[in-house]
Amino acid sequence: RTVKETQVRIAADTLLREVSERVSTAEDELQKMAEAELPFLRGEKLQDMDTFIAEADKVAVKVHAALADAQTFVAKKLVEVARFTEGPAKTVKEEIDMLQKRLEEGRERLQQFRSNTADRKRSHILQEVEAKVAAAEAEVQRMTEATESLTNAGGPAGETVSEGLSETVEQANLAERAAQASIVVARKYLLQKTTEMKKLAVSGSGSGTELGKLQTRVNNMQNDITKLRNAIKDAEERIRVKQMLSEVAIRLQSAEADVEKVATAAVPLAEEQASAEAVERMERASTLAGNKLGTTAKLVDVKLKSAQGFLKEELAGMRGRITAAEWKLARVMKFAKEHKERLLASELIAQAMEKVEKAEAEIQKAAEAELPFLKGIEVLAASEASKAITVCETAASNGQRAVSDARTFVVQKLVEAKQFADAPADDCCKELNGLQKKLDVGATKLAELKKDTAERKRKTQMQASGEKIKDVETAVQKLADTMSKFGDDKLKEISAEEARTVCEDIAQTEHKAQAAVTDAKKFLAARLQDAKTSDALRGPLTADLSKLQSRLTACQVELAKLSKQCVEREQRFVAKKLVEDATVSLEQLQADIEVASKSAAPLLTEDRSELCRAVYAKAMVAALQSHATKLGLDADKVWASISKDKNAKQETFDKFLDTLPQLSGNDDVCFTAEQKASVFAVVGGKKGKLNQVDFKMLFRNRFVCIESTPVMDKLDGGKAVTSIEVGEGIEVLELKDDKAGNSCAQCNLLRDGTTEWVVIKEKGGASNFKPCPPFVGRDDSVEAFVNAIHSRCAEAAEIADKKTVEVATHKQGPLADVKAKLLQIRAKLTAEQSKIESLKKRMTAAKSAVLQQRKDELQKIQEEKAKEFAAKAVKEGTVAIEAAEARASQIMERAKLNPDKKPEVSELEGLKSAADDALQGLSEAKAVVARALEAHEVYKGSARNLLLEARVELTKLTGRATAQERKLRTATEAVRTAYLGVVKSATKQAREVLRSSARASGKSVDEMFDLVSKGKPEVTEAMFVKFVESLPGNPLTKQEVSLVFKEFGRHGLRKPGFAKALQEFTKCEKETPITSDFNVGTSAVIRKLEQGELFEVLEGPKEDG
């Protein structure tokens, strides 16, 4: 019991101590409340009052929280007191009640503090609002003072506004804006603080009344500002009106000053004759003054329409001043106009006199132009007289133009003068009338001069007309003389070139005669038209022109007669030339067709043997030259590959032909035995032998014609015996330049084997031939020659038809008579065209048949080769596969190990090596079959189908080899596994021995290698075995060491292989811990090995437990 009481007493003391601490904490917060009230008691500055009030509110909140926390804690502890015994419980409860009273006193003090703080906040708000309203009243007072000085703004009408008054208005406006802004701020602040006052729990008595008074003061200030603003607007309006009137007054004063200046300047000019410059200056000044005065008057009139009161009176006075100035300016302008008209009259008279003097000068020039005729017209030649008359006419025309211009000018100026005032107009008209009389006298003189000139012109023109007719007669006579060169007696002797020259001369002479006739006709027509325009000269001039016209008509008749004769002679010559040219062309075509027929005859026999031999020979020579060109061989080197002697037997040559497809890469040069004999004969083989000299002729330079070229019988001075056409081939025997510098060649024409000369390339021109390949044979040359003749025959027929159509347009004359001869030649051309067409078709058909025959033969040869190749390939593949299978069977039998007996290392090594060799043999046998299958791809078409069976057999052989490989691998798998196990174990042990020895010796890998190899670059197997056997702790036998050597240095152990045996580096693939000992469970982790980090293996690897 005593212990329990003691425990209760201790618990009660503990509870009282906790409650007392909580109450003390709350009382400490109450003390802070007293500290927060000190600034208000000391009367701190107003600007810091907001901070003090905010701080007091924060303290009140904290005190309230502390009191509430303490009361809650006490209430909880009172519940715990009930568990105590009666004595201690009573004592504790009494103590707690006292503490609760202290908390209640604290809450009362808090309530009083909050009430005081609310009163201080209300007083502070009223003071702030009062300050804002007072500031606004001060701004309104300043506005009132600024507006008082505007009461008497303005002054007498017409005066300008001073700058000081405008500045005063601006200051009043600034004061108004400042006052309005202050009122807005005060009103906004009043509204804000009113809201804050309403939120206070205790707002104190009279606060609403004080705020209402402040609101009334703000409203009164707003009314005062409205009144003052109206006063400012009235002042601004008065200033605006003054400014408007001031601007008008300034303009009016300036205009009045300009008018007065003009009137003052006009006074001295009225007393004396004013100059043009002075009048012009006065007129410009009057115009400027009038414009300025008119602008001012318009402005005043516009303003008067809507003016009222003082503004209207002021503007009316200004309008009177404007009217007076306008009257004064009108007098000055009238005086200036009169002076200007007198000056203009003087200027008009001077201009008219200038025009009249110019007309009189032109009349004088016309009189001077007449002087050459005053000596007598007979002294002047026709050309000189014509020039003189032209000068007279030009002078008379210029004079007439000058007189007309002067008359027109004077009449115009008379009209202008009548518009002047009376005095200036009378004087000006009198002078102009006198000038008109002078012009009438000059016009009379010009009329007489023009009449004399017309008579002289008639006589001169008649003289010139006679000369024109004489020129025509001379031209006609010249044409007649030229025509004598082309007489009927000379048509047979004259050549085409001479006839062309004579015809050109006749054409030029005839053209000149026609031009002379045309010129004379135009000249006479012009003169006749001139005669019709002159009544006085019409009769005599017409009679003279009629005589000249008769002479011109006679010349025209003679010219037409000569022209007709010229056309007839020209047609006779053309007709003769047409017939000759057509005949020559026909004869040349007939000769060429004959040559073509002879050249093609051997190739068109029924057996076509000659054509076949040509095709065989062409194919062989083309392949031979391709082979030589590809390898860069000459004829001697190619011959050396055929025979070592100067002669080759047919059998030797046939063997070479068998290899030619492979050498040239062309399968189209395969031949049968009969074809080989034919080729042997074509290239020069005789009596079963081929001479080296004949063989070398196959390598002569060969060219193909690319431009039709004449064939000459000799180099210089020879004649053309035929032509070689495009596509024909030649075999060059000798290259040589002729005297003209052209590159020529003596050659064999492949179409018929004849030897002639041709121009390979003209000096400075293009080539007529290009070198082979492509190779051109005899059949190609004959075909090209036939095609060319066929084309020429078609062209000749087309030309004959065209000429026949041309002569058909002539109904009579020599060209009409030649039509029948041309038709006869055309019929012969048709016959020849049929011949060459038939020859061309036969040649094409024969060549196509031979080529098809050659194609069939080649296909047959290829099929035979394919069959032979298939049998050979299958046989070789079968032999290879069977041999490999037999060897593999032997190895599989040996690989059956005795499970009760451990095989020796040497036995395992021998079996593995034999198994590898057997596998290699099977791979090589499969390679033989694969090469045979690849070779099948060379054959195309029907030959490929013949190889299908062989391909199937070869595919089966490949399958057999693959199956045998699988069996062999399966049978030797145990041997390989055992062998690899021995090698792996020996390699591991050898590595551990080598690594431990290397670490024990302290030497590097390079030093160890030099020690074993004794300074040599390579370690032999004996050296390696000796070195390993000398190492301490070596468990390996000699055979196992040999296996290790072969593992690291199968082809010789050099320094990299030796280092590989001693060292092993590994790359970390996954993050792994590095431990201090082999047993991971009991050892410490040193660090982690990061992914990608390299490390060296010193021992192992080993498997832990």
Side-chain angles (χ1 to χ4, degrees):
R1 183 178 180 183
T2 303
V3 173
K4 186 176 181 180
E5 290 177 356
T6 303
Q7 291 176 344
V8 170
R9 198 164 37 251
I10 293 171
D13 294 339
T14 302
L15 189 149
L16 286 174
R17 186 170 61 255
E18 291 177 352
V19 172
S20 177
E21 289 177 355
R22 288 299 181 96
V23 172
S24 298
T25 301
E27 289 177 343
D28 291 341
E29 293 296 334
L30 286 171
Q31 184 61 32
K32 291 180 181 179
M33 188 172 63
E35 295 174 356
E37 202 172 11
L38 289 176
F40 302 110
L41 300 177
R42 289 197 297 264
E44 297 289 346
K45 294 180 179 180
L46 182 62
Q47 55 266 31
D48 297 331
M49 192 61 66
D50 289 335
T51 303
F52 298 148
I53 292 173
E55 185 65 27
D57 289 338
K58 290 180 181 179
V59 171
V61 171
K62 290 181 179 180
V63 170
H64 181 270
L67 291 174
D69 183 54
Q71 287 178 338
T72 301
F73 187 79
V74 170
K76 290 180 180 180
K77 296 304 178 181
L78 280 174
V79 175
E80 295 179 4
V81 171
R83 295 197 298 268
F84 297 163
T85 55
E86 183 177 355
K90 183 178 181 181
T91 305
V92 171
K93 188 173 182 182
E94 290 175 356
E95 292 291 335
I96 290 176
D97 290 339
M98 292 177 62
L99 293 174
Q100 277 186 329
K101 289 180 181 180
R102 288 166 59 185
L103 290 176
E104 289 297 333
E105 292 175 357
R107 184 171 292 279
E108 291 175 0
R109 288 172 56 192
L110 174 61
Q111 188 64 29
Q112 183 63 36
F113 178 77
R114 282 182 169 176
S115 176
N116 295 337
T117 302
D119 292 340
R120 294 186 184 100
K121 185 181 290 186
R122 179 181 60 79
S123 300
H124 178 61
I125 289 173
L126 291 175
Q127 290 176 2
E128 285 183 333
V129 174
E130 175 67 25
K132 295 293 182 181
V133 173
E137 287 176 343
E139 293 294 336
V140 172
Q141 182 60 32
R142 282 194 288 273
M143 178 181 174
T144 302
E145 294 173 355
T147 308
E148 287 178 354
S149 59
L150 298 177
T151 304
N152 298 321
E159 292 185 2
T160 59
V161 180
S162 63
E163 295 181 0
L165 184 60
S166 299
E167 185 177 353
T168 303
V169 173
E170 182 65 24
Q171 290 178 355
N173 283 323
L174 292 175
E176 186 264 335
R177 286 193 289 272
Q180 186 63 46
S182 299
I183 290 176
V184 169
V185 172
R187 192 184 299 278
K188 182 177 179 181
Y189 201 79
L190 180 62
L191 180 61
Q192 179 182 354
K193 296 304 178 181
T194 301
T195 303
E196 292 181 6
M197 293 280 285
K198 289 179 180 180
K199 291 180 180 180
L200 294 176
V202 285
S203 55
S205 60
S207 59
T209 304
E210 292 174 357
L211 291 175
K213 291 179 180 179
L214 294 174
Q215 183 66 45
T216 302
R217 289 167 61 187
V218 171
N219 293 336
N220 293 337
M221 285 188 290
Q222 187 64 51
N223 294 333
D224 294 341
I225 286 177
T226 302
K227 294 178 182 178
L228 295 174
R229 186 185 296 115
N230 292 333
I232 293 172
K233 286 183 178 180
D234 293 341
E236 287 176 343
E237 181 64 21
R238 287 196 298 272
I239 293 172
R240 186 185 65 78
V241 171
K242 280 291 185 180
Q243 287 176 345
M244 181 181 67
L245 292 178
S246 175
E247 181 179 356
V248 174
I250 291 172
R251 288 188 179 185
L252 179 58
Q253 290 174 3
S254 176
E256 287 176 338
D258 291 344
V259 171
E260 187 63 29
K261 189 185 296 183
V262 171
T264 304
V267 173
L269 294 178
E271 299 175 356
E272 56 184 11
Q273 185 65 30
S275 63
E277 291 79 3
V279 173
E280 185 176 359
R281 285 198 302 272
M282 184 171 61
E283 189 175 21
R284 281 201 301 271
S286 300
T287 301
L288 292 174
N291 292 337
K292 186 179 293 186
L293 192 62
T295 302
T296 306
K298 288 180 181 180
L299 181 62
V300 171
D301 291 341
V302 169
K303 292 182 179 297
L304 269 173
K305 290 180 182 181
S306 58
Q308 297 292 334
F310 171 78
L311 179 60
K312 186 174 182 179
E313 294 177 0
E314 185 71 16
L315 291 174
M318 289 183 178
R319 193 67 187 82
R321 291 166 58 188
I322 290 171
T323 302
E326 287 176 343
W327 180 80
K328 186 183 294 186
L329 184 61
R331 291 180 58 195
V332 174
M333 293 181 70
K334 181 180 179 181
F335 170 75
K337 181 180 179 182
E338 185 176 350
H339 275 277
K340 183 177 181 180
E341 288 178 349
R342 290 185 179 279
L343 292 174
L344 287 175
S346 301
E347 185 176 354
L348 288 179
I349 294 171
Q351 292 176 355
M353 289 182 67
E354 183 179 355
K355 292 285 186 180
V356 171
E357 290 175 355
K358 182 178 180 182
E360 290 177 343
E362 292 296 334
I363 294 171
Q364 183 61 33
K365 289 181 181 178
E368 293 175 355
E370 195 180 15
L371 289 178
F373 297 102
L374 300 179
K375 303 175 184 178
I377 194 168
E378 65 277 357
V379 300
L380 293 177
S383 58
E384 295 180 359
S386 179
K387 292 179 181 179
I389 288 171
T390 302
V391 172
C392 289
E393 287 178 341
T394 303
S397 177
N398 292 337
Q400 185 65 41
R401 190 182 303 108
V403 169
S404 298
D405 292 344
R407 280 179 172 174
T408 303
F409 185 81
V410 170
V411 171
Q412 291 175 351
K413 298 309 174 184
L414 277 172
V415 175
E416 293 179 7
K418 290 177 182 179
Q419 296 177 358
F420 294 163
D422 295 339
D426 293 341
D427 296 340
C428 184
C429 290
K430 184 177 179 180
E431 292 291 336
L432 293 176
N433 289 329
L435 295 176
Q436 270 188 329
K437 292 179 180 179
K438 288 185 178 182
L439 291 175
D440 293 339
V441 174
T444 303
K445 291 181 180 181
L446 280 177
E448 294 177 357
L449 177 61
K450 291 173 69 176
K451 182 179 180 181
D452 295 340
T453 301
E455 179 62 24
R456 297 185 186 105
K457 183 176 183 181
R458 183 190 69 80
K459 293 179 180 180
T460 302
Q461 288 177 348
M462 288 303 301
Q463 183 180 358
S465 299
E467 292 178 356
K468 292 286 185 181
I469 299 301
K470 188 175 181 179
D471 292 341
V472 172
E473 293 172 344
T474 302
V476 172
Q477 183 59 41
K478 186 175 181 182
L479 178 60
D481 296 339
T482 307
M483 285 284 293
S484 62
K485 301 178 182 179
F486 205 45
D488 294 338
D489 55 339
K490 297 181 179 180
L491 286 178
K492 296 181 180 179
E493 302 174 357
I494 193 169
S495 64
E497 188 64 30
E498 292 174 347
R500 186 180 296 106
T501 303
V502 172
C503 288
E504 290 176 355
D505 292 342
I506 292 173
Q508 292 179 0
T509 306
E510 183 182 3
H511 178 72
K512 291 180 181 178
Q514 290 287 358
V517 169
T518 303
D519 187 32
K521 285 175 69 177
K522 290 182 179 178
F523 193 80
L524 291 178
R527 302 293 75 76
L528 186 61
Q529 189 66 29
D530 292 342
K532 292 179 181 179
T533 59
S534 177
D535 296 336
L537 301 177
R538 183 179 303 170
L541 187 59
T542 303
D544 294 338
L545 290 175
S546 297
K547 295 177 182 179
L548 295 174
Q549 186 66 45
S550 298
R551 290 171 60 188
L552 179 61
T553 301
C555 290
Q556 284 181 293
V557 172
E558 183 65 21
L559 180 60
K561 181 179 179 181
L562 292 173
S563 297
K564 184 177 180 181
Q565 292 176 1
C566 180
V567 171
E568 289 179 356
R569 293 177 185 178
E570 185 177 355
Q571 285 186 357
R572 281 200 295 273
F573 179 79
V574 171
K576 174 177 173 290
K577 191 65 177 173
L578 282 175
V579 175
E580 290 179 356
D581 291 345
T583 303
V584 171
S585 177
L586 176 61
E587 292 174 353
Q588 182 64 43
L589 283 173
Q590 289 173 339
D592 289 340
I593 291 172
E594 183 66 25
V595 172
S597 299
K598 291 180 180 180
S599 300
L603 304 178
L604 299 178
T605 58
E606 291 184 3
D607 60 355
R608 298 192 180 95
S609 59
E610 189 68 25
L611 185 57
C612 289
R613 282 195 293 270
V615 171
Y616 300 154
K618 181 178 74 173
M620 188 277 295
V621 175
L624 188 64
Q625 290 187 349
S626 174
H627 165 59
T629 303
K630 182 168 64 175
L631 299 181
L633 305 177
D634 56 11
D636 293 332
K637 291 182 179 179
V638 176
W639 176 260
S641 64
I642 298 174
S643 175
K644 304 299 182 181
D645 300 328
K646 291 186 178 180
N647 296 314
K649 295 181 180 181
Q650 184 170 350
E651 293 80 4
T652 305
F653 187 74
D654 290 347
K655 291 180 179 179
F656 174 74
L657 288 181
D658 291 337
T659 62
L660 192 56
Q662 183 178 359
L663 295 175
S664 62
N666 184 5
D667 292 336
D668 293 341
V669 288
C670 298
F671 303 103
T672 62
E674 183 181 352
Q675 293 169 354
K676 293 175 185 177
S678 176
V679 172
F680 183 77
V682 170
V683 298
K686 299 174 183 178
K687 297 181 180 181
K689 293 183 179 180
L690 175 63
N691 189 281
Q692 184 178 359
V693 176
D694 294 334
F695 180 78
K696 290 174 66 175
M697 288 183 178
L698 299 177
F699 291 86
R700 285 175 177 170
N701 290 331
R702 295 172 184 262
F703 289 86
V704 181
C705 180
I706 58 176
E707 187 70 31
S708 182
T709 307
V711 178
M712 314 301 292
D713 57 357
K714 58 182 179 179
L715 180 61
D716 292 309
K719 65 177 181 178
V721 294
T722 182
S723 63
I724 185 166
E725 303 298 336
V726 176
E728 282 194 66
I730 61 172
E731 187 178 69
V732 177
L733 304 177
E734 180 184 3
L735 288 172
K736 193 174 182 181
D737 292 345
D738 60 9
K739 293 180 179 179
N742 300 321
S743 178
C744 302
Q746 186 182 25
C747 61
N748 289 332
L749 303 184
L750 294 181
R751 72 183 182 217
D752 55 11
T754 57
T755 302
E756 304 294 348
W757 286 88
V758 294
V759 176
I760 298 294
K761 181 179 180 182
E762 297 180 357
K763 183 179 180 181
S767 297
N768 298 323
F769 295 83
K770 67 176 182 179
C772 292
F775 186 80
V776 176
R778 180 182 178 184
D779 56 330
D780 298 321
S781 297
V782 172
E783 186 179 19
F785 187 62
V786 171
N787 290 337
I789 295 172
H790 181 270
S791 299
R792 293 216 307 270
C793 195
E795 291 174 2
E798 184 180 355
I799 292 172
D801 292 337
K802 183 178 179 182
K803 296 300 180 184
T804 303
V805 173
E806 290 177 357
V807 299
T809 59
H810 298 272
K811 301 303 180 182
Q812 60 183 359
L815 288 177
D817 299 338
V818 83
K819 181 179 179 181
K821 295 181 179 179
L822 289 177
L823 290 175
Q824 293 176 0
I825 295 173
R826 179 65 179 87
K828 294 180 181 180
L829 280 173
T830 302
E832 297 301 322
Q833 194 171 8
S834 299
K835 290 180 183 180
I836 195 65
E837 180 72 25
S838 175
L839 182 60
K840 180 182 178 183
K841 290 181 179 179
R842 290 170 59 200
M843 188 69 197
T844 303
K847 189 174 180 180
S848 299
V850 170
L851 291 177
Q852 183 61 40
Q853 179 182 342
R854 176 59 178 161
K855 184 178 180 181
D856 296 340
E857 292 172 350
L858 286 173
Q859 183 176 350
K860 186 176 181 182
I861 294 172
Q862 291 291 343
E863 290 176 355
E864 292 295 333
K865 286 188 175 182
K867 292 178 180 178
E868 182 181 351
F869 169 75
K872 182 181 178 181
V874 172
K875 182 178 179 182
E876 292 177 351
T878 302
V879 170
I881 294 297
E882 288 178 350
E885 285 178 336
R887 190 173 181 184
S889 298
Q890 293 176 0
I891 299 302
M892 286 189 288
E893 189 64 31
R894 289 175 56 193
K896 296 178 181 179
L897 300 175
N898 188 354
D900 298 328
K901 180 182 178 183
K902 182 179 180 182
E904 296 292 335
V905 175
S906 58
E907 183 181 0
L908 291 174
E909 184 179 7
L911 284 173
K912 178 183 176 297
S913 178
D916 292 340
D917 292 342
L919 288 172
Q920 181 64 28
L922 287 170
S923 298
E924 291 175 355
K926 289 171 65 177
V928 170
V929 176
R931 286 194 295 271
L933 288 172
E934 290 177 0
H936 285 195
E937 300 298 329
V938 177
Y939 294 91
K940 306 294 182 183
S942 59
R944 184 176 178 85
N945 296 331
L946 297 174
L947 298 175
L948 181 59
E949 185 177 351
R951 290 176 62 85
V952 172
E953 291 296 328
L954 291 173
T955 304
K956 290 180 179 179
L957 290 175
T958 304
R960 284 172 56 184
T962 304
Q964 193 68 6
E965 279 184 337
R966 286 198 299 270
K967 291 179 181 179
L968 180 59
R969 291 183 187 279
T970 303
T972 59
E973 183 66 29
V975 175
R976 293 179 184 277
T977 303
Y979 175 78
L980 292 176
V982 171
V983 172
K984 184 176 181 182
S985 175
T987 302
K988 181 179 178 183
Q989 293 177 8
R991 272 189 166 178
E992 291 177 354
V993 172
L994 290 172
R995 289 172 185 170
S996 60
S997 299
R999 289 196 298 272
S1001 65
K1003 295 180 179 180
S1004 64
V1005 175
D1006 293 341
E1007 291 174 344
M1008 290 287 290
F1009 180 81
D1010 293 338
L1011 177 64
V1012 176
S1013 65
K1014 299 179 180 180
K1016 295 181 180 180
E1018 184 176 331
V1019 175
T1020 64
E1021 183 175 354
M1023 293 178 179
F1024 186 76
V1025 171
K1026 183 179 180 181
F1027 170 69
V1028 174
E1029 288 179 344
S1030 65
L1031 296 176
N1034 174 31
L1036 302 176
T1037 64
K1038 186 175 183 179
Q1039 291 178 344
E1040 289 175 338
V1041 175
S1042 297
L1043 289 177
V1044 173
F1045 177 83
K1046 292 176 182 178
E1047 181 70 18
F1048 292 107
R1050 183 175 298 275
H1051 303 293
L1053 187 60
R1054 294 182 176 273
K1055 188 174 291 185
F1058 188 78
K1060 185 178 178 182
L1062 266 66
Q1063 292 178 316
E1064 181 180 359
F1065 291 93
T1066 307
K1067 182 178 180 181
C1068 179
E1069 295 293 339
K1070 184 178 180 181
E1071 192 177 86
T1072 306
I1074 300 176
T1075 59
S1076 59
D1077 198 358
F1078 175 72
N1079 192 345
V1080 178
T1082 59
S1083 60
V1085 177
I1086 300 174
R1087 70 177 182 89
K1088 285 189 177 183
L1089 193 65
E1090 302 293 339
Q1091 183 179 1
E1093 191 174 352
L1094 294 176
F1095 61 92
E1096 183 181 358
V1097 178
L1098 302 180
E1099 183 180 352
K1102 298 179 182 179
E1103 293 185 2
D1104 58 10

